Amino acid sequence: MKRSSFTGILLLAVIILMGACGEGSAYDELPKPIADFVSQYFPFGEVDEYTVDNAGNSVVKIRNGATLSFDADCDWTDINGNGSVLPANFLYNQLPPVLYDYIESLEFTNNVYRTIRTLTGVRVEFRDTYVEYDDATQAITYPDGEVKNASKI
């Protein structure tokens, strides 16, 4: 009986220590909107580094994973998988629906490595190419200048 009590206490201590080491202090520094973003789209990644520049723009680096950039309002500006594909739920929730539907129609939702929010829309980067989406016209432009009207696809 004494042995099982000791084992139980030891197991509980190990679980508590693992939980304390799980996120680390970099995660604890994140503003709530950014912490929520990381938890939703990168739940298994450990926050390795969090920096803020003088303008209030933030960068979150996930250990062995993505680099996430946010503006002063905590809106994402650049999500770079650094060689890994971006989570499908991020694409579905964060890209304009017309752009997401277009990427899905190409069966490229598992091939998006980076997204960049620009002043006029969104750039989505694949392994060997990219598309740019214009918020005002809903046009999708390829590097060669070819334009697709996403609303007619």
Side-chain angles (χ1 to χ4, degrees):
M1 191 74 164
K2 289 181 183 178
R3 184 178 180 140
S4 65
S5 296
F6 178 75
T7 304
I9 292 171
L10 184 60
L11 181 61
L12 181 61
V14 168
I15 291 171
I16 290 171
L17 285 173
M18 287 175 62
C21 296
E23 292 296 341
S25 62
Y27 180 85
D28 296 337
E29 296 175 25
L30 300 177
K32 183 167 177 18
I34 295 175
D36 291 346
F37 185 96
V38 170
S39 294
Q40 182 172 0
Y41 300 118
F42 299 91
F44 302 110
E46 182 180 341
V47 174
D48 194 33
E49 185 179 336
Y50 170 64
T51 58
V52 181
D53 67 16
N54 292 337
N57 300 309
S58 306
V59 175
V60 177
K61 292 185 180 180
I62 306 294
R63 179 165 290 148
N64 299 321
T67 300
L68 320 172
S69 300
F70 300 88
D71 64 16
D73 294 325
C74 296
D75 293 323
W76 69 268
T77 57
D78 187 350
I79 307 299
N80 187 342
N82 295 322
S84 297
V85 295
L86 300 183
N89 64 335
F90 163 76
L91 300 174
Y92 181 80
N93 291 335
Q94 297 294 321
L95 294 182
V98 172
L99 177 58
Y100 177 82
D101 290 345
Y102 180 73
I103 293 169
E104 185 179 48
S105 75
L106 297 175
E107 298 181 0
F108 271 25
T109 55
N110 291 323
N111 295 312
V112 176
Y113 290 86
R114 186 175 189 181
T115 58
I116 302 168
R117 185 176 286 157
T118 66
L119 294 175
T120 58
V122 178
R123 177 179 168 134
V124 176
E125 296 183 2
F126 307 103
R127 182 174 302 279
D128 298 322
T129 191
Y130 64 89
V131 295
E132 291 183 339
Y133 174 81
D134 185 294
D135 286 329
T137 64
Q138 295 187 339
I140 296 173
T141 307
Y142 288 84
D144 63 4
E146 182 182 352
V147 177
K148 303 284 185 187
N149 187 334
S151 63
K152 295 182 181 178
I153 296 174

